[in-house]
Structures are given as C-alpha cells and as structure tokens.
Amino acid sequence: MNPFLDALALNAGYNAALVGIGAAMLGFAAGAAGTFLFLRKRALVSDAVAHATLPGVGLAFILMVALGGDGRNLIGLLLGSAATAGIGLLLVEWIARRTRLSEDAAIGAVLSVFFGFGIVLLTVVQTMSAGRQAGLEGFLLGSTAGMLFQDAVVIAVGGALAVFATWLLRRPMTLVAFDPDYAAALGYNVRRIDLAMMGLVMAVTVIGLKLVGLILIVAMLIIPPVTARFWTESSAYVIWYAGLIGGVSGYVGAALSTTAPAMPTGPIIVLVAASLFLMSLFVAPARGVAAAVIRHRRFQRRVHRRQGLLALSRAEPIHDDFTLRVLRGEGLIRPDGVATANGRALAAKTARDEHRWDIAREIHQDAGLTGRYDGLTPIEQVFTPDEIAEFDRRIGGPRALGSSLGGTA
Amino acid sequence: MGSEFVQFSLTPMLIGILASIACALPGNFLILRKQALIGDAISHVVLPGIVVAFLLTGVVSALPMLLGAAGAAVVAVILIEAIKRLGKIEPGAAMGVTFTTLFAAGVLLLEQTDTSSVHLDVEHALMGNLESLIWFQARDGWASLIDPVALAALPPELGRIALVCALVVALTLVFWRWLKISTFDEGFADALGLPTGAIGFGLVITAAIAAVAAFDAVGSIIVIAMFICPPAAARLMTNSLERQIWWSVAFAVLSAVLGYVFAGYGPLWIGAQHAVSAAGMIATVSGLILGLTCLFGPHRSRIGVGKETAT
C-alpha cells in the first residue's frame, strides 16, 4: 500500500500514529482558539506569545537542573514556557495600554526581546555540564522523532481543555471581538475577556511547542481561522470550521511527513494549511476570488445589456463588441445587428422604466427610494404596483409603437 | 583593552553597531506608520530566500544570498498585499499567513537539501554568529588600523554592513521630507503630488535591504529587535521626528555596545566561564532600554490621557 495512505490509516507505525493523532488534535485546538484572536484583528499577538515561550523553556531547564532534577521533564518545560509567555502577553497588553506605542510595536518589541533573551539562555544551557540538554532547540521548530505517549497525552488533554474553554467563552468572546464598546456597556469586563482570549492562545502554543515548535505554531493559530472565514459568515460556525481545517491540516501533514525522510512535520503541516488557505482564497463561495470575478462579469453583462437595450430603444447604432455579443447571445438582436421582436419589446420596456424613474423622481423628491436608482435595479423592486400604475398614468401608459422605436414622448 | 580587544571584540562590536543603526533608521518610520511588524515578517522570509539562493548557485557566498533574501522580502511584501486585497483580510492576519508559510517552506527546503557540508542552518539564521566575526590579523592592537595587510583581512561582513548602513543613511537623508510628510499625513502628501505608494514600498524595500545585510552578519533576532525597540523607545522620549531619529540611533548604539560587552564579559563577572549569545544579549538590552523608557520616558503617555487615568 502507498505509504501516505498507510499513514492516513494510522498503519505506519506507533510513533507515526501518535504524531498523526497529536497533530490533528493540536490543529483542531489551535484553529478554534486562534479564531477569536483573528476576529478581534489581533492575530499577530500569537506571534509574540509564541516567541515569548523560549526564555521559559531555558529558565525551566536551568532551574530543574539546578534543583537536581531532569532538565528535560516536559511538564516542567511547558510550565516554564507558559510562565514567560504569560509575562510576555501581559507586557504587550501593558505597553499598548499604558504608553502611546501601538499594539504592533508592543508585539514586535516583546517577541524580539523575549526571543533574544531565550537565545541567551539557550547558549547558557549549551555550556552547562548537565549533558542532557540536547533537544531544547527542538522547541524552535518542533521535533516529532522522539514523541512519547506522554507528549500525546499532554496535547490531547490540553487541547481538549482549550477547545472546551473556547466553547464556554464563545459568547462573550464573540461580543468583544465584534463590538467591545457594546460588550462593556452590557457589563462584561472587556480587558479580562481579551486576556482570556490570549490566555487560550497561550495554552495552545505551549502544548504545541513540542510538536511544531514555537515559530510554526503561529501559523496553526492564524491560517485555519483565516481560511475558515472564507466559508462562513457566522461566528458560531467559524470556530468549528477553523478547528476542522486545523485538524485536517495536522493529520494530513503528519501523514505526509512520514512518507519520506527529511520531511519535518511542523513545516509540512503549515504548508498543508497554507494550501487549504490558497484554495479557499480562490474557490470559496461569496468571498473567494473566483466568486468575485464571476460577480464582476455578471455585473458587467447587466450593464452592457441595459446600455444595449437603451440604444435599441433609441434606434442608435451599437458599436461595442461585448454589448453586441450579450444582445446576440440572448437573441435580442439578429446576427446582422437588427433587433428581434423580443429585443424590441425589451428595449421598449427598458425605455419605459427609465421614463417611470423620471416620473418617480418628480414625485419622490427625497432620495430615500429614488436614490436606489442605479440603472440595474428593476423598478418593480423599489416601488409597489399601484405606485408604478400612478407613474404610468402620468406618462399616459404604454402605447403601440409605430415605425419609430423612440417611443414614449 | 589592547590588541586582544582589537582582535576579538572591535569588529563584532562595529558590525553590531552598524547593523543596529541600519535597522533602527527605517524602523522609526515603520513604527510611526504602524507597520512595525513588517520587520518581523521580513526577517522570517529571509530564510527561504537564502535557501533558494543556495539551491540555485550551490555555494554559500554573500552576494547571491543577499539577492535571494531581498527577492524573498519583495515577494513577501507583494504576497501580503495581494492576500489583503484579494481575500479582504486584515493586514495582521495576511502578514501572519504569509510569513509563517514562507518560513515553513524555507525550513522544508533546508531539510530537503544536503547542507551538512556548508554552514547553513536554521539556528544560525536565527541567532547569527557575531562572536565569530573576529579580526584575526590584527596582531598589533590599535596599530593594525593603519596596517594595510591587516586591514585587508577584515571580515567581509564589516564592509558589507558598513556599505548598507551608509546607503540607508543616505536614503533617509535624501528622502527625508518625502518620508516625513507621507508618514504623518498621507492625504497631504498625495495632494502635493508625492508618490506615496512608491515611498511606502521604497521604505519597506530599504528595511528589507537593511534586514538582509544585518541578518548576514548578526542573525534575525537583532534585526527584529533593532527595527522596533530603539525607535519605540525613542518615540517615548520626544515629540520631534528629528530628535526621535537621534535618540533611536543612540539607543541602537548603546544596545549594541552594552549587549556585546554583557554577552562577552558579563558571564565572567558573575563567575561563569562561557560567553553567551551576543545577538540575543543585544536584543535583551534593547528591550531593557525600551522598558525603562516605558516607565520613565517623558512622552510615554498618549496625548490627552492624564497621569491618573493612564493606569
């Protein structure tokens, strides 16, 4: 069997299965938890949080060795990283609130300084005599080679808790993401909810450190929500879509990475998520590029159709190629450019509706209804039949046309 | 502080200072335009650029790598803009999608390539290796500064970063008025007929060049830190752009010097035996400076916010 399918069916060995399940759960948790940060337009806060975990890893290692323990105890390292990530988070919030620096400057400052300090600590760790320090660099880009059952359990439990907390807090977080002032007026503590939002992201970051590393976990927090947003306009669904996209990316990415050597899991997962994003960018209904192009073409077609019909009604020659194509395609003119019976009828109706609009503007001098005139909205959608009947009474009603198509004067 | 200093510390320190200044200058404008994180994005995408350049040329040499990294920065900026417009996505998220994806692609390419024979790895890209840029030929101490044989053996990184630093300074001076007007009042700049779009793009490209040259010498941490911390600290010291630039340069130099000294000699003072990462320490010092200005800078609060309410 194909190794990729093997891996997808969890048949590629114990470690691969563990990594696959872990990556799927991590992806789901990251996608769900990252959603509100994205909706709050603060996606890059996760970048600061992720980079701020590094000094915690170093400090925890040094501390645990100094206390005579095993420096590589995963729980200890994760607690340390959570501590500094939390400090980083509070600092971003404090700088943005307390000084006149904007939030992006605060994010950049915290991420670079904490990361720099983390690197300093890593060089300290490298020179320590403990000898078991190898592997701390794995937190930068993640390493799945030595994934233990214990690691998978940490991800599973932590991820489930994060998703559960996201679900519990979804209402206040939605409110704060869309309208913080209204949330404050309702009595919610916006700052605390913001902190909870970022705290969830921090939790996911910390549990994802081992698997995808601190630089790429940012991608797991940002790309799935952005992708999910293409597919729905409802904040209730976007969390689950984001979780699903993250989970699928994690699972497929982990499976792909087992198919060949030198395929690091973290980057592959990110690239799978990115290709889902790219696909959504183009083919998503309503928000996708393809949909926008189709919408634009339709609009163009309607404009050309109307211009063409008006020209027919005034017996003016049509020179525009696209207009001719549109009219010919609908059988409104013959190939030699002469209007068909159908075309003459529609042209007359278009001209009459234009005239109705003129009358409507005389009657309704406020722009409330007549302001909706854009040449494309049918008048029947704006005015009621009896109003239109009144316009027609003033025009004098449609008359049979003689040799001239000019019509209504 | 004799020949040993010249041999082992002078050039890394100079490179650190020049790299810091080259990044801090465009950083001032990026901060004011609320584009601070462009520096972050650029320094992440430098990695794939360098790897691609290596794959194409097969050698680790400076010029192709600089070009590759600069190309990657341009690609990233265009991608961010395209995603922002095509997907109607807010800038932060567009940036996050772009640079993490490109970085992941860079890591994957690097793993797929056999780079065991050459000095090219992710850690080096992140941390730089400032300490290794020593001036080995400077055996006569300060006298080496006038010895042509010794001068010829200066690390090539020094020449490159000096050149780029001079370029950034020159660009800042030449386009000073344009930059200033378009940064503070884009509408007014438009009305004057200035090419605001080109100015913005040029600023990002300049930042990318500074980032790439600095990255070559000192790694990407310093790059991000220097784009943001010294200008942000300077912003809290003054309300005048001219003075802010001077402050940021001063802070950048101070971070580079203190950071290098602390990294090289600090551990010895407290009894440890090994030096720590100079690049990391420079970033840390710049953060400490920013922290101090956040607490005590004379212009730290927003205008209109009283001291009591700004808790």
Side-chain angles (χ1 to χ4, degrees):
Chain A
M1 212 167 135
N2 178 318
F4 175 58
L5 295 179
D6 259 345
L8 274 187
L10 296 178
N11 283 331
Y14 179 68
N15 183 264
L18 218 49
V19 171
I21 296 174
M25 285 186 299
L26 177 67
F28 193 93
T35 300
F36 286 106
L37 216 53
F38 164 63
L39 292 177
R40 185 91 165 97
K41 301 197 195 312
R42 298 172 103 174
L44 285 173
V45 169
S46 59
D47 201 21
V49 172
H51 284 76
T53 54
L54 189 62
V57 172
L59 279 178
F61 183 89
I62 294 171
L63 198 69
M64 284 191 290
V65 170
L67 293 176
D70 176 10
R72 283 194 303 164
N73 183 308
L74 186 66
I75 304 287
L77 293 178
L78 293 190
L79 285 180
S81 66
T84 49
I87 295 172
L89 199 57
L90 291 174
L91 275 181
V92 168
E93 208 251 1
W94 180 80
I95 292 175
R97 199 164 42 90
R98 183 67 197 277
T99 74
R100 64 181 185 182
L101 296 174
S102 56
E103 188 168 51
D104 63 335
I107 290 171
V110 165
L111 88 86
S112 58
V113 172
F114 273 64
F115 195 69
F117 186 55
I119 295 291
V120 168
L121 289 173
L122 281 195
T123 52
V124 171
V125 167
Q126 273 162 4
T127 59
M128 280 168 64
S129 50
R132 287 167 306 191
Q133 66 272 40
L136 279 200
E137 286 78 14
F139 284 97
L140 288 179
L141 295 171
S143 65
T144 49
M147 182 136 161
L148 303 172
F149 185 70
Q150 178 206 4
D151 303 348
V153 170
V154 168
I155 292 174
V157 173
L161 284 178
V163 172
F164 183 62
T166 309
W167 180 77
L168 275 185
L169 291 171
R170 69 196 184 286
R171 291 190 62 79
M173 289 200 299
T174 311
L175 205 55
V176 168
F178 285 100
D179 195 343
D181 291 337
Y182 180 58
L186 286 183
Y188 287 103
N189 186 333
V190 173
R191 194 180 152 227
R192 212 174 283 166
I193 294 169
D194 267 336
L195 281 178
M197 215 184 264
M198 297 194 268
L200 278 174
V201 166
M202 186 187 89
V204 174
T205 308
V206 166
I207 59 173
L209 274 188
K210 173 89 182 154
L211 193 61
V212 296
L214 61 91
I215 300 177
L216 294 173
I217 186 76
V218 179
M220 313 271 303
L221 286 161
I222 297 181
I223 298 178
V226 175
T227 309
R229 186 64 187 81
F230 279 109
W231 297 93
T232 172
E233 300 286 328
S234 146
S235 64
Y237 288 122
V238 75
I239 314 174
W240 306 119
Y241 286 7
L244 203 66
I245 289 165
V248 168
S249 313
Y251 194 69
V252 174
L256 265 179
S257 78
T258 59
T259 56
M263 295 272 270
T265 316
I268 296 281
I269 294 176
V270 174
L271 291 176
V272 171
S275 43
L276 287 177
F277 162 76
L278 208 61
M279 204 188 71
S280 308
L281 176 66
F282 285 101
V283 306
R287 294 177 69 94
V289 171
V293 169
I294 292 171
R295 226 175 9 246
H296 180 74
R297 297 284 301 182
R298 278 201 191 131
F299 179 74
Q300 211 176 13
R301 207 182 155 80
R302 284 169 65 198
V303 171
H304 279 267
R305 182 175 182 273
R306 167 171 179 273
Q307 292 304 103
L309 286 172
L310 281 179
L312 282 186
S313 74
R314 294 182 194 129
E316 289 163 356
I318 301 169
H319 297 293
D320 188 78
D321 270 346
F322 186 61
T323 312
L324 287 171
R325 269 210 309 281
V326 170
L327 294 182
R328 228 176 273 142
E330 293 190 27
L332 300 177
I333 54 173
R334 294 205 311 250
D336 61 358
V338 177
T340 60
N342 213 353
R344 279 204 300 279
L346 266 178
K349 178 182 180 324
T350 312
R352 186 198 62 198
D353 282 352
E354 281 302 297
H355 208 103
R356 283 169 166 175
W357 277 108
D358 287 343
I359 304 290
R361 267 190 292 274
E362 276 168 28
I363 298 176
H364 301 277
Q365 299 220 339
D366 56 332
L369 288 171
T370 52
R372 288 180 58 191
Y373 171 77
D374 57 4
L376 296 176
T377 312
I379 194 166
E380 291 86 356
Q381 278 183 15
V382 182
F383 292 102
T384 56
D386 47 337
E387 277 175 314
I388 293 176
E390 166 65 12
F391 302 152
D392 287 345
R393 197 186 58 75
R394 294 199 183 199
I395 298 170
R399 270 163 277 169
L401 298 172
S403 56
S404 157
L405 288 168
T408 50
Chain B
M1 291 294 270
S3 70
E4 202 175 275
F5 173 80
V6 176
Q7 218 171 358
F8 292 110
S9 296
L10 182 66
T11 42
M13 215 182 239
L14 272 179
I15 290 172
I17 291 172
L18 290 171
S20 302
I21 295 175
C23 291
L25 280 179
N28 277 296
F29 296 100
L30 291 177
I31 291 251
L32 289 169
R33 288 162 169 254
K34 301 206 189 309
Q35 291 181 328
L37 289 168
I38 281 277
D40 181 28
I42 290 173
S43 54
H44 280 87
V45 302
V46 158
L47 179 72
I50 284 183
V51 179
V52 169
F54 171 74
L55 288 179
L56 290 179
T57 61
V59 288
V60 179
S61 73
L63 191 65
M65 297 214 164
L66 287 183
L67 288 177
V74 174
V75 168
V77 170
I78 293 172
L79 275 180
I80 292 171
E81 205 53 36
I83 290 179
K84 221 159 70 179
R85 297 206 179 153
L86 289 179
K88 295 178 193 68
I89 293 166
E90 51 117 357
M95 216 185 274
V97 170
T98 310
F99 80 73
T100 52
T101 305
L102 289 177
F103 187 80
V107 174
L108 180 64
L109 275 178
L110 198 57
E111 295 280 330
Q112 293 272 304
T113 323
D114 178 27
T115 49
S116 51
S117 57
V118 295
H119 194 55
L120 187 65
D121 59 70
V122 177
E123 273 167 52
H124 175 240
L126 289 173
M127 306 180 197
N129 209 352
L130 197 51
E131 298 86 344
S132 70
L133 302 173
I134 51 178
W135 188 13
F136 206 64
Q137 290 294 318
R139 296 200 180 81
D140 310 328
W142 293 99
S144 308
L145 284 177
I146 48 167
D147 176 5
V149 181
L151 283 178
L154 274 173
E157 284 85 354
L158 181 63
R160 278 200 292 274
I161 191 71
L163 197 68
V164 168
C165 190
L167 178 73
V168 171
V169 171
L171 284 174
T172 314
L173 285 177
V174 169
F175 293 104
W176 174 259
R177 289 179 59 81
W178 282 20
L179 275 172
K180 189 172 175 181
I181 294 173
S182 71
T183 298
F184 284 103
D185 194 338
E186 190 151 3
F188 179 56
D190 271 334
L192 287 181
L194 300 187
T196 44
I199 296 173
F201 194 67
L203 177 63
V204 173
I205 298 301
T206 311
I209 293 172
V212 170
F215 171 87
D216 170 42
V218 297
S220 59
I221 313 167
I222 291 201
V223 174
I224 314 175
M226 287 303 139
F227 267 129
I228 297 173
C229 293
R235 173 98 180 92
L236 304 178
M237 295 301 291
T238 173
N239 274 331
S240 136
L241 181 62
E242 286 80 1
R243 264 176 261 148
Q244 181 187 323
I245 300 274
W246 285 114
W247 273 112
S248 73
V249 170
F251 285 144
V253 173
L254 193 67
S255 316
V257 173
L258 284 183
Y260 188 80
V261 170
F262 286 162
Y265 304 102
L268 307 180
W269 297 338
I270 57 167
Q273 281 152 22
H274 303 277
V276 295
S277 160
M281 197 48 115
I282 292 175
T284 310
V285 171
S286 73
L288 291 180
I289 292 175
L290 176 61
L292 287 177
T293 54
C294 280
L295 286 171
F296 306 112
H299 295 279
R300 61 185 182 277
S301 350
R302 287 201 175 84
I303 289 170
V305 179
K307 276 199 177 118
E308 285 75 26
T309 50
T311 45

